[in-house]
Amino acid sequence: MSTSAAPSYREVVTPRPGEEPQWTPEQLFTDRRDVKHPMRSPPPPRDIPPFPIVPNRSDGSENPWLTRTRKLYITAIVGVLAIIAIAVAVPLVLRHKKAVKDANAPVATSGTSGSVVVTEDGTKFTYINDFGGEWRYDPTNPFGPGGQPQNWSKSIDDQWIWGRDVVRGVNLGGWLVTQPYAVPSIYEKFLNAGPLPVIDEWSLSLAMGDNLQTEMEQHYSTFITEQDFADIAGAGLNWVRIPIGYWAIETQPGEPFLAQVSWKYFLKAIQWARKYGLRICLDVHGLPGSQNGWDHSGRRGVVNMMRGVMGFANAQRSLNYLRTFAQFISQKQYSNVVPVLGIANDVRMDLLGEIPVKSFYLAAYNAIRKVTGTGAGNGPYIAIHEAFRGVFVWQDFLQGADRLALDQHPSFAFNVTEQDAVSDLVRRPCDWAVATNHSSEHFGITLGGQFNGAVNDCGLWITGIGSATTYTNCTGQDDYTTWTPDTINTLKQGALAGMDALQNWFFWTWRIGNSTALGRPSSPLWHYQLGLAHGWIPKDPRDSAGHCGPLLNETASFDGGYPAYATGGDGAGTIVASQLSSYPFPPTTFEPGYNSTQISLLPTYTATGSPITLPGPTFTSAPFVDVGSGWFNAQDNDLYYVPVPQCTYRDPWNAETLSLPTAPCTAVNPTAIPTPGGSSSAPSSTASSAVITPAPTFS
């Protein structure tokens, strides 16, 4: 692109040979007599007077004939000039009127397949939806009627009925919480650039250094865009599950994540979802200290949430953030778009223990329902992960709880061998159907929050940067360009089986970015968009209905009748007393192997901090629209858990195996917790209220 200045008022661009001269708009309508044409020589001088030579009279007076002739010439010239002026002026006037009309033309506020969508930055794309979907968005009424993803799915404004309406969704993995295999190029760029090996968002943030915000915003703004939401609806899907980290709200000193910025992109997601009729499950993937030690929790290799010396304090802090998320999405402006809140992704019960996990789940449930109240329409459904124990063990958990959903993440990709035939593996997801039916009938809403079509764990960094795959021979397994039509059709059967068995599902994940090293995306069987284009994902997800029937000996199916309390009906919120007493907070057991006396020594925070509220968006075309205060329940005056000022604390991200303090530290008994090699100061206890990154602007 040239950076030279445009021609000035009387300049003319010298054309290349064979081109016509170029004139600026000003030159076209100004006096051009003093401008030489660049490609034509001036005509030779002609000794021709402007009028016929008629001598004057002998007395020197003007000849009448000459006077009449001049008048005729002048009249003719004036007439010609007038005609030219009219010929030029009329089109200009008409063109100006058309431009004014176009500028004042109403912006399209809805459209069906084939319509052109203009995004907030002026980008245009054609909306393609062969399933009767319609987008709908009025910039002057941003919380007005929204879209409908397909003609068989509810519009965003219609009531979702569990047991009748079916979730067909995808995760937006790698977007607001990065993962190396989902966005490999950003990790490849900084792989050897940081003070630590780059293996997760923690170390990636350190490697980015002063460019952290620039790099992350470039990722946020390009990895998922408005067109993705339109394409998701066009793929026959009606929900998205969006992972988010606690750092969307705040970070404490020493935590390198980019604080608060991802929230403004989640606000964009809400508006895009409304526009195309998609509902959102907001799923908290990263909690303080990490609940699983995997890279998608923010930091790999450590588990300090409900585990270790700082585990309980980290859990208290996690409750702060869950409460803030719940307060925001429960507001009337957002509640129909974000009807489900997942409180902790991929919890490792094998490391945390059953009682601590269930104790945290109950504490989170109580904190959220204190905000929202109970019964249908009061706040979101609360989704808890089955903690890799399967759904059967949760059958009796918190019976009577109001709108508590169970989220399962079945996968067999990490425990297959070369001896397992692909034709057999693609049938295996149908086994999930029996458990899903049973859980739906006895527990309540049972979601397949994550599943994929993978038949092994081959793929760039699927098991983490530097980690080996369990499948020993991955040669050719990852390169979809070499797959035959028969292979693609066989793999498609696995996707159909998972969809049918899980019934209400979210495929992991919508897209995987290109690897710079490979020049293409890796892990294709985890990539819905790619599979849709190449055939191992069905064009119409409804094709999965009934797929598993002929493959199962079990014929019982779920009839859609959930327990009444599970959907906010009779008895919602009245939990069986024995369940309430079984899971106190703090719990009666705590890993690694603490007894009741040791649990009493665990460092704790105190509820004396100011709660943090999240802002809504701003709209240039509706500057005075009510976007909400961020705090649904004004009667909720409970304070945030924050460090006790007189106490010192261990590193909340590195305290799994440290020794316990010898005495508790509280505001009444400010005994410092000994730290090997000295003491570390507590994180700041000051929590700002409603002060975070400027919200996005929508035109």
Side-chain angles (χ1 to χ4, degrees), residues 611-644:
I612 298 177
T613 57
L614 291 166
T618 56
F619 302 95
T620 56
S621 297
F624 303 110
V625 71
D626 180 11
V627 300
S629 66
W631 207 250
F632 166 73
N633 184 354
Q635 304 306 311
D636 175 18
N637 297 314
D638 291 351
L639 298 176
Y640 252 33
Y641 289 108
V642 294
V644 179

PDB file of all heavy atoms in Angstrom, residues 611-644:
ATOM      1  N   PRO A 611     -16.874  -6.144  47.521  1.00  0.00           N
ATOM      2  CA  PRO A 611     -17.135  -6.987  46.334  1.00  0.00           C
ATOM      3  C   PRO A 611     -16.800  -6.253  45.043  1.00  0.00           C
ATOM      4  O   PRO A 611     -16.877  -5.030  44.967  1.00  0.00           O
ATOM      5  CB  PRO A 611     -18.638  -7.267  46.434  1.00  0.00           C
ATOM      6  CG  PRO A 611     -18.986  -7.024  47.858  1.00  0.00           C
ATOM      7  CD  PRO A 611     -18.079  -5.922  48.319  1.00  0.00           C
ATOM      8  N   ILE A 612     -16.428  -7.010  44.040  1.00  0.00           N
ATOM      9  CA  ILE A 612     -16.135  -6.455  42.719  1.00  0.00           C
ATOM     10  C   ILE A 612     -17.331  -6.689  41.815  1.00  0.00           C
ATOM     11  O   ILE A 612     -17.845  -7.805  41.724  1.00  0.00           O
ATOM     12  CB  ILE A 612     -14.887  -7.104  42.105  1.00  0.00           C
ATOM     13  CG1 ILE A 612     -13.657  -6.820  42.979  1.00  0.00           C
ATOM     14  CG2 ILE A 612     -14.644  -6.592  40.689  1.00  0.00           C
ATOM     15  CD1 ILE A 612     -12.394  -7.486  42.489  1.00  0.00           C
ATOM     16  N   THR A 613     -17.790  -5.650  41.176  1.00  0.00           N
ATOM     17  CA  THR A 613     -18.874  -5.781  40.208  1.00  0.00           C
ATOM     18  C   THR A 613     -18.307  -5.648  38.799  1.00  0.00           C
ATOM     19  O   THR A 613     -17.350  -4.910  38.565  1.00  0.00           O
ATOM     20  CB  THR A 613     -19.957  -4.712  40.424  1.00  0.00           C
ATOM     21  OG1 THR A 613     -19.360  -3.417  40.340  1.00  0.00           O
ATOM     22  CG2 THR A 613     -20.616  -4.872  41.780  1.00  0.00           C
ATOM     23  N   LEU A 614     -18.914  -6.347  37.877  1.00  0.00           N
ATOM     24  CA  LEU A 614     -18.482  -6.327  36.484  1.00  0.00           C
ATOM     25  C   LEU A 614     -19.345  -5.356  35.688  1.00  0.00           C
ATOM     26  O   LEU A 614     -20.569  -5.290  35.885  1.00  0.00           O
ATOM     27  CB  LEU A 614     -18.591  -7.730  35.886  1.00  0.00           C
ATOM     28  CG  LEU A 614     -17.589  -8.742  36.430  1.00  0.00           C
ATOM     29  CD1 LEU A 614     -18.001 -10.161  36.051  1.00  0.00           C
ATOM     30  CD2 LEU A 614     -16.190  -8.445  35.918  1.00  0.00           C
ATOM     31  N   PRO A 615     -18.745  -4.596  34.764  1.00  0.00           N
ATOM     32  CA  PRO A 615     -19.513  -3.612  33.996  1.00  0.00           C
ATOM     33  C   PRO A 615     -20.205  -4.244  32.798  1.00  0.00           C
ATOM     34  O   PRO A 615     -19.780  -5.281  32.280  1.00  0.00           O
ATOM     35  CB  PRO A 615     -18.443  -2.634  33.531  1.00  0.00           C
ATOM     36  CG  PRO A 615     -17.245  -3.516  33.323  1.00  0.00           C
ATOM     37  CD  PRO A 615     -17.316  -4.563  34.409  1.00  0.00           C
ATOM     38  N   GLY A 616     -21.251  -3.604  32.368  1.00  0.00           N
ATOM     39  CA  GLY A 616     -21.891  -3.977  31.119  1.00  0.00           C
ATOM     40  C   GLY A 616     -21.250  -3.236  29.961  1.00  0.00           C
ATOM     41  O   GLY A 616     -20.357  -2.407  30.153  1.00  0.00           O
ATOM     42  N   PRO A 617     -21.703  -3.517  28.748  1.00  0.00           N
ATOM     43  CA  PRO A 617     -21.153  -2.830  27.574  1.00  0.00           C
ATOM     44  C   PRO A 617     -21.703  -1.424  27.437  1.00  0.00           C
ATOM     45  O   PRO A 617     -22.634  -1.031  28.154  1.00  0.00           O
ATOM     46  CB  PRO A 617     -21.631  -3.723  26.421  1.00  0.00           C
ATOM     47  CG  PRO A 617     -22.922  -4.283  26.929  1.00  0.00           C
ATOM     48  CD  PRO A 617     -22.734  -4.501  28.403  1.00  0.00           C
ATOM     49  N   THR A 618     -21.116  -0.664  26.534  1.00  0.00           N
ATOM     50  CA  THR A 618     -21.699   0.620  26.132  1.00  0.00           C
ATOM     51  C   THR A 618     -22.058   0.533  24.666  1.00  0.00           C
ATOM     52  O   THR A 618     -21.444  -0.213  23.899  1.00  0.00           O
ATOM     53  CB  THR A 618     -20.714   1.780  26.355  1.00  0.00           C
ATOM     54  OG1 THR A 618     -19.500   1.504  25.643  1.00  0.00           O
ATOM     55  CG2 THR A 618     -20.397   1.949  27.827  1.00  0.00           C
ATOM     56  N   PHE A 619     -23.056   1.294  24.262  1.00  0.00           N
ATOM     57  CA  PHE A 619     -23.569   1.230  22.894  1.00  0.00           C
ATOM     58  C   PHE A 619     -23.623   2.640  22.326  1.00  0.00           C
ATOM     59  O   PHE A 619     -24.310   3.507  22.867  1.00  0.00           O
ATOM     60  CB  PHE A 619     -24.967   0.610  22.870  1.00  0.00           C
ATOM     61  CG  PHE A 619     -25.046  -0.774  23.450  1.00  0.00           C
ATOM     62  CD1 PHE A 619     -25.404  -0.966  24.784  1.00  0.00           C
ATOM     63  CD2 PHE A 619     -24.763  -1.888  22.675  1.00  0.00           C
ATOM     64  CE1 PHE A 619     -25.475  -2.239  25.328  1.00  0.00           C
ATOM     65  CE2 PHE A 619     -24.829  -3.160  23.211  1.00  0.00           C
ATOM     66  CZ  PHE A 619     -25.186  -3.338  24.542  1.00  0.00           C
ATOM     67  N   THR A 620     -22.910   2.880  21.231  1.00  0.00           N
ATOM     68  CA  THR A 620     -22.884   4.217  20.652  1.00  0.00           C
ATOM     69  C   THR A 620     -24.239   4.630  20.103  1.00  0.00           C
ATOM     70  O   THR A 620     -24.568   5.811  20.086  1.00  0.00           O
ATOM     71  CB  THR A 620     -21.835   4.292  19.528  1.00  0.00           C
ATOM     72  OG1 THR A 620     -22.117   3.281  18.552  1.00  0.00           O
ATOM     73  CG2 THR A 620     -20.438   4.071  20.083  1.00  0.00           C
ATOM     74  N   SER A 621     -25.014   3.672  19.631  1.00  0.00           N
ATOM     75  CA  SER A 621     -26.327   4.006  19.066  1.00  0.00           C
ATOM     76  C   SER A 621     -27.431   4.015  20.119  1.00  0.00           C
ATOM     77  O   SER A 621     -28.561   4.369  19.824  1.00  0.00           O
ATOM     78  CB  SER A 621     -26.690   2.997  17.963  1.00  0.00           C
ATOM     79  OG  SER A 621     -25.781   3.069  16.903  1.00  0.00           O
ATOM     80  N   ALA A 622     -27.088   3.602  21.334  1.00  0.00           N
ATOM     81  CA  ALA A 622     -28.065   3.623  22.427  1.00  0.00           C
ATOM     82  C   ALA A 622     -27.322   3.986  23.711  1.00  0.00           C
ATOM     83  O   ALA A 622     -27.215   3.165  24.632  1.00  0.00           O
ATOM     84  CB  ALA A 622     -28.757   2.267  22.551  1.00  0.00           C
ATOM     85  N   PRO A 623     -26.797   5.218  23.780  1.00  0.00           N
ATOM     86  CA  PRO A 623     -25.916   5.577  24.897  1.00  0.00           C
ATOM     87  C   PRO A 623     -26.599   5.602  26.251  1.00  0.00           C
ATOM     88  O   PRO A 623     -25.917   5.531  27.280  1.00  0.00           O
ATOM     89  CB  PRO A 623     -25.409   6.965  24.503  1.00  0.00           C
ATOM     90  CG  PRO A 623     -26.446   7.503  23.563  1.00  0.00           C
ATOM     91  CD  PRO A 623     -26.969   6.323  22.821  1.00  0.00           C
ATOM     92  N   PHE A 624     -27.928   5.683  26.275  1.00  0.00           N
ATOM     93  CA  PHE A 624     -28.613   5.799  27.553  1.00  0.00           C
ATOM     94  C   PHE A 624     -29.362   4.530  27.944  1.00  0.00           C
ATOM     95  O   PHE A 624     -30.117   4.520  28.906  1.00  0.00           O
ATOM     96  CB  PHE A 624     -29.587   6.987  27.510  1.00  0.00           C
ATOM     97  CG  PHE A 624     -28.916   8.291  27.177  1.00  0.00           C
ATOM     98  CD1 PHE A 624     -29.142   8.911  25.960  1.00  0.00           C
ATOM     99  CD2 PHE A 624     -28.025   8.885  28.074  1.00  0.00           C
ATOM    100  CE1 PHE A 624     -28.515  10.104  25.643  1.00  0.00           C
ATOM    101  CE2 PHE A 624     -27.399  10.073  27.758  1.00  0.00           C
ATOM    102  CZ  PHE A 624     -27.637  10.689  26.544  1.00  0.00           C
ATOM    103  N   VAL A 625     -29.140   3.451  27.193  1.00  0.00           N
ATOM    104  CA  VAL A 625     -29.809   2.205  27.523  1.00  0.00           C
ATOM    105  C   VAL A 625     -29.280   1.675  28.852  1.00  0.00           C
ATOM    106  O   VAL A 625     -28.112   1.850  29.192  1.00  0.00           O
ATOM    107  CB  VAL A 625     -29.613   1.164  26.393  1.00  0.00           C
ATOM    108  CG1 VAL A 625     -28.170   0.665  26.359  1.00  0.00           C
ATOM    109  CG2 VAL A 625     -30.564  -0.005  26.560  1.00  0.00           C
ATOM    110  N   ASP A 626     -30.146   1.049  29.619  1.00  0.00           N
ATOM    111  CA  ASP A 626     -29.787   0.498  30.921  1.00  0.00           C
ATOM    112  C   ASP A 626     -29.046  -0.822  30.720  1.00  0.00           C
ATOM    113  O   ASP A 626     -29.641  -1.818  30.310  1.00  0.00           O
ATOM    114  CB  ASP A 626     -31.047   0.282  31.765  1.00  0.00           C
ATOM    115  CG  ASP A 626     -30.748  -0.295  33.140  1.00  0.00           C
ATOM    116  OD1 ASP A 626     -29.569  -0.331  33.530  1.00  0.00           O
ATOM    117  OD2 ASP A 626     -31.711  -0.716  33.824  1.00  0.00           O
ATOM    118  N   VAL A 627     -27.752  -0.844  31.008  1.00  0.00           N
ATOM    119  CA  VAL A 627     -26.958  -2.064  30.853  1.00  0.00           C
ATOM    120  C   VAL A 627     -26.820  -2.814  32.169  1.00  0.00           C
ATOM    121  O   VAL A 627     -26.138  -3.837  32.234  1.00  0.00           O
ATOM    122  CB  VAL A 627     -25.561  -1.751  30.284  1.00  0.00           C
ATOM    123  CG1 VAL A 627     -25.670  -1.094  28.922  1.00  0.00           C
ATOM    124  CG2 VAL A 627     -24.751  -0.889  31.250  1.00  0.00           C
ATOM    125  N   GLY A 628     -27.469  -2.327  33.211  1.00  0.00           N
ATOM    126  CA  GLY A 628     -27.391  -2.969  34.513  1.00  0.00           C
ATOM    127  C   GLY A 628     -26.206  -2.472  35.314  1.00  0.00           C
ATOM    128  O   GLY A 628     -25.225  -1.957  34.772  1.00  0.00           O
ATOM    129  N   SER A 629     -26.302  -2.644  36.607  1.00  0.00           N
ATOM    130  CA  SER A 629     -25.242  -2.199  37.515  1.00  0.00           C
ATOM    131  C   SER A 629     -24.166  -3.246  37.696  1.00  0.00           C
ATOM    132  O   SER A 629     -23.117  -2.971  38.287  1.00  0.00           O
ATOM    133  CB  SER A 629     -25.845  -1.871  38.885  1.00  0.00           C
ATOM    134  OG  SER A 629     -26.351  -3.061  39.501  1.00  0.00           O
ATOM    135  N   GLY A 630     -24.419  -4.479  37.207  1.00  0.00           N
ATOM    136  CA  GLY A 630     -23.504  -5.576  37.446  1.00  0.00           C
ATOM    137  C   GLY A 630     -23.844  -6.363  38.693  1.00  0.00           C
ATOM    138  O   GLY A 630     -23.268  -7.425  38.946  1.00  0.00           O
ATOM    139  N   TRP A 631     -24.790  -5.865  39.475  1.00  0.00           N
ATOM    140  CA  TRP A 631     -25.134  -6.480  40.763  1.00  0.00           C
ATOM    141  C   TRP A 631     -26.637  -6.725  40.792  1.00  0.00           C
ATOM    142  O   TRP A 631     -27.423  -5.847  41.065  1.00  0.00           O
ATOM    143  CB  TRP A 631     -24.706  -5.563  41.904  1.00  0.00           C
ATOM    144  CG  TRP A 631     -24.401  -6.280  43.186  1.00  0.00           C
ATOM    145  CD1 TRP A 631     -25.129  -6.238  44.336  1.00  0.00           C
ATOM    146  CD2 TRP A 631     -23.271  -7.111  43.453  1.00  0.00           C
ATOM    147  NE1 TRP A 631     -24.531  -7.012  45.300  1.00  0.00           N
ATOM    148  CE2 TRP A 631     -23.380  -7.557  44.788  1.00  0.00           C
ATOM    149  CE3 TRP A 631     -22.189  -7.543  42.687  1.00  0.00           C
ATOM    150  CZ2 TRP A 631     -22.436  -8.402  45.372  1.00  0.00           C
ATOM    151  CZ3 TRP A 631     -21.261  -8.375  43.270  1.00  0.00           C
ATOM    152  CH2 TRP A 631     -21.384  -8.796  44.588  1.00  0.00           C
ATOM    153  N   PHE A 632     -27.020  -7.954  40.461  1.00  0.00           N
ATOM    154  CA  PHE A 632     -28.433  -8.314  40.333  1.00  0.00           C
ATOM    155  C   PHE A 632     -29.205  -8.093  41.624  1.00  0.00           C
ATOM    156  O   PHE A 632     -30.310  -7.553  41.628  1.00  0.00           O
ATOM    157  CB  PHE A 632     -28.525  -9.782  39.901  1.00  0.00           C
ATOM    158  CG  PHE A 632     -29.887 -10.402  40.047  1.00  0.00           C
ATOM    159  CD1 PHE A 632     -30.917 -10.072  39.176  1.00  0.00           C
ATOM    160  CD2 PHE A 632     -30.144 -11.327  41.059  1.00  0.00           C
ATOM    161  CE1 PHE A 632     -32.171 -10.644  39.302  1.00  0.00           C
ATOM    162  CE2 PHE A 632     -31.397 -11.908  41.198  1.00  0.00           C
ATOM    163  CZ  PHE A 632     -32.414 -11.561  40.311  1.00  0.00           C
ATOM    164  N   ASN A 633     -28.649  -8.525  42.733  1.00  0.00           N
ATOM    165  CA  ASN A 633     -29.353  -8.496  44.010  1.00  0.00           C
ATOM    166  C   ASN A 633     -28.768  -7.412  44.898  1.00  0.00           C
ATOM    167  O   ASN A 633     -27.733  -7.594  45.534  1.00  0.00           O
ATOM    168  CB  ASN A 633     -29.255  -9.859  44.702  1.00  0.00           C
ATOM    169  CG  ASN A 633     -30.053  -9.922  45.987  1.00  0.00           C
ATOM    170  OD1 ASN A 633     -30.611  -8.930  46.453  1.00  0.00           O
ATOM    171  ND2 ASN A 633     -30.101 -11.102  46.592  1.00  0.00           N
ATOM    172  N   ALA A 634     -29.436  -6.272  44.950  1.00  0.00           N
ATOM    173  CA  ALA A 634     -28.943  -5.146  45.741  1.00  0.00           C
ATOM    174  C   ALA A 634     -28.972  -5.438  47.230  1.00  0.00           C
ATOM    175  O   ALA A 634     -28.319  -4.744  48.021  1.00  0.00           O
ATOM    176  CB  ALA A 634     -29.764  -3.897  45.430  1.00  0.00           C
ATOM    177  N   GLN A 635     -29.736  -6.457  47.642  1.00  0.00           N
ATOM    178  CA  GLN A 635     -29.817  -6.814  49.061  1.00  0.00           C
ATOM    179  C   GLN A 635     -28.637  -7.687  49.492  1.00  0.00           C
ATOM    180  O   GLN A 635     -28.483  -7.974  50.681  1.00  0.00           O
ATOM    181  CB  GLN A 635     -31.130  -7.548  49.330  1.00  0.00           C
ATOM    182  CG  GLN A 635     -32.379  -6.774  48.918  1.00  0.00           C
ATOM    183  CD  GLN A 635     -32.438  -5.392  49.535  1.00  0.00           C
ATOM    184  OE1 GLN A 635     -32.252  -5.241  50.741  1.00  0.00           O
ATOM    185  NE2 GLN A 635     -32.688  -4.377  48.711  1.00  0.00           N
ATOM    186  N   ASP A 636     -27.849  -8.131  48.545  1.00  0.00           N
ATOM    187  CA  ASP A 636     -26.690  -8.957  48.861  1.00  0.00           C
ATOM    188  C   ASP A 636     -25.542  -8.035  49.265  1.00  0.00           C
ATOM    189  O   ASP A 636     -24.841  -7.484  48.424  1.00  0.00           O
ATOM    190  CB  ASP A 636     -26.295  -9.814  47.657  1.00  0.00           C
ATOM    191  CG  ASP A 636     -25.017 -10.609  47.894  1.00  0.00           C
ATOM    192  OD1 ASP A 636     -24.632 -10.770  49.066  1.00  0.00           O
ATOM    193  OD2 ASP A 636     -24.411 -11.063  46.911  1.00  0.00           O
ATOM    194  N   ASN A 637     -25.357  -7.898  50.562  1.00  0.00           N
ATOM    195  CA  ASN A 637     -24.338  -7.004  51.082  1.00  0.00           C
ATOM    196  C   ASN A 637     -23.148  -7.744  51.686  1.00  0.00           C
ATOM    197  O   ASN A 637     -22.322  -7.130  52.367  1.00  0.00           O
ATOM    198  CB  ASN A 637     -24.949  -6.083  52.155  1.00  0.00           C
ATOM    199  CG  ASN A 637     -26.027  -5.186  51.583  1.00  0.00           C
ATOM    200  OD1 ASN A 637     -25.841  -4.594  50.525  1.00  0.00           O
ATOM    201  ND2 ASN A 637     -27.158  -5.089  52.273  1.00  0.00           N
ATOM    202  N   ASP A 638     -23.058  -9.050  51.468  1.00  0.00           N
ATOM    203  CA  ASP A 638     -21.931  -9.810  51.990  1.00  0.00           C
ATOM    204  C   ASP A 638     -20.629  -9.290  51.384  1.00  0.00           C
ATOM    205  O   ASP A 638     -20.585  -8.891  50.218  1.00  0.00           O
ATOM    206  CB  ASP A 638     -22.080 -11.291  51.685  1.00  0.00           C
ATOM    207  CG  ASP A 638     -23.211 -11.935  52.481  1.00  0.00           C
ATOM    208  OD1 ASP A 638     -23.750 -11.254  53.387  1.00  0.00           O
ATOM    209  OD2 ASP A 638     -23.545 -13.092  52.197  1.00  0.00           O
ATOM    210  N   LEU A 639     -19.583  -9.332  52.168  1.00  0.00           N
ATOM    211  CA  LEU A 639     -18.298  -8.819  51.724  1.00  0.00           C
ATOM    212  C   LEU A 639     -17.441  -9.929  51.119  1.00  0.00           C
ATOM    213  O   LEU A 639     -17.733 -11.111  51.277  1.00  0.00           O
ATOM    214  CB  LEU A 639     -17.572  -8.153  52.895  1.00  0.00           C
ATOM    215  CG  LEU A 639     -18.296  -6.937  53.499  1.00  0.00           C
ATOM    216  CD1 LEU A 639     -17.551  -6.417  54.717  1.00  0.00           C
ATOM    217  CD2 LEU A 639     -18.481  -5.829  52.469  1.00  0.00           C
ATOM    218  N   TYR A 640     -16.399  -9.529  50.424  1.00  0.00           N
ATOM    219  CA  TYR A 640     -15.460 -10.451  49.778  1.00  0.00           C
ATOM    220  C   TYR A 640     -14.517 -11.056  50.831  1.00  0.00           C
ATOM    221  O   TYR A 640     -14.108 -10.387  51.781  1.00  0.00           O
ATOM    222  CB  TYR A 640     -14.620  -9.687  48.757  1.00  0.00           C
ATOM    223  CG  TYR A 640     -14.932  -9.972  47.305  1.00  0.00           C
ATOM    224  CD1 TYR A 640     -16.219 -10.283  46.876  1.00  0.00           C
ATOM    225  CD2 TYR A 640     -13.920  -9.888  46.351  1.00  0.00           C
ATOM    226  CE1 TYR A 640     -16.474 -10.515  45.535  1.00  0.00           C
ATOM    227  CE2 TYR A 640     -14.175 -10.113  45.010  1.00  0.00           C
ATOM    228  CZ  TYR A 640     -15.457 -10.431  44.607  1.00  0.00           C
ATOM    229  OH  TYR A 640     -15.710 -10.662  43.280  1.00  0.00           O
ATOM    230  N   TYR A 641     -14.127 -12.293  50.574  1.00  0.00           N
ATOM    231  CA  TYR A 641     -13.057 -12.893  51.360  1.00  0.00           C
ATOM    232  C   TYR A 641     -11.727 -12.296  50.920  1.00  0.00           C
ATOM    233  O   TYR A 641     -11.376 -12.329  49.734  1.00  0.00           O
ATOM    234  CB  TYR A 641     -13.011 -14.408  51.146  1.00  0.00           C
ATOM    235  CG  TYR A 641     -14.163 -15.169  51.764  1.00  0.00           C
ATOM    236  CD1 TYR A 641     -15.155 -15.729  50.970  1.00  0.00           C
ATOM    237  CD2 TYR A 641     -14.235 -15.341  53.146  1.00  0.00           C
ATOM    238  CE1 TYR A 641     -16.204 -16.440  51.534  1.00  0.00           C
ATOM    239  CE2 TYR A 641     -15.289 -16.054  53.724  1.00  0.00           C
ATOM    240  CZ  TYR A 641     -16.271 -16.604  52.909  1.00  0.00           C
ATOM    241  OH  TYR A 641     -17.307 -17.303  53.467  1.00  0.00           O
ATOM    242  N   VAL A 642     -10.989 -11.740  51.879  1.00  0.00           N
ATOM    243  CA  VAL A 642      -9.678 -11.144  51.592  1.00  0.00           C
ATOM    244  C   VAL A 642      -8.706 -11.541  52.700  1.00  0.00           C
ATOM    245  O   VAL A 642      -9.111 -11.979  53.778  1.00  0.00           O
ATOM    246  CB  VAL A 642      -9.769  -9.602  51.506  1.00  0.00           C
ATOM    247  CG1 VAL A 642     -10.602  -9.169  50.312  1.00  0.00           C
ATOM    248  CG2 VAL A 642     -10.330  -9.021  52.803  1.00  0.00           C
ATOM    249  N   PRO A 643      -7.399 -11.409  52.445  1.00  0.00           N
ATOM    250  CA  PRO A 643      -6.420 -11.756  53.477  1.00  0.00           C
ATOM    251  C   PRO A 643      -6.588 -10.928  54.742  1.00  0.00           C
ATOM    252  O   PRO A 643      -6.984  -9.755  54.695  1.00  0.00           O
ATOM    253  CB  PRO A 643      -5.081 -11.463  52.801  1.00  0.00           C
ATOM    254  CG  PRO A 643      -5.363 -11.580  51.342  1.00  0.00           C
ATOM    255  CD  PRO A 643      -6.754 -11.065  51.169  1.00  0.00           C
ATOM    256  N   VAL A 644      -6.299 -11.532  55.867  1.00  0.00           N
ATOM    257  CA  VAL A 644      -6.285 -10.814  57.132  1.00  0.00           C
ATOM    258  C   VAL A 644      -5.048  -9.927  57.158  1.00  0.00           C
ATOM    259  O   VAL A 644      -3.926 -10.425  56.969  1.00  0.00           O
ATOM    260  CB  VAL A 644      -6.259 -11.801  58.318  1.00  0.00           C
ATOM    261  CG1 VAL A 644      -6.209 -11.035  59.646  1.00  0.00           C
ATOM    262  CG2 VAL A 644      -7.469 -12.724  58.271  1.00  0.00           C
TER     263      VAL A 644
END
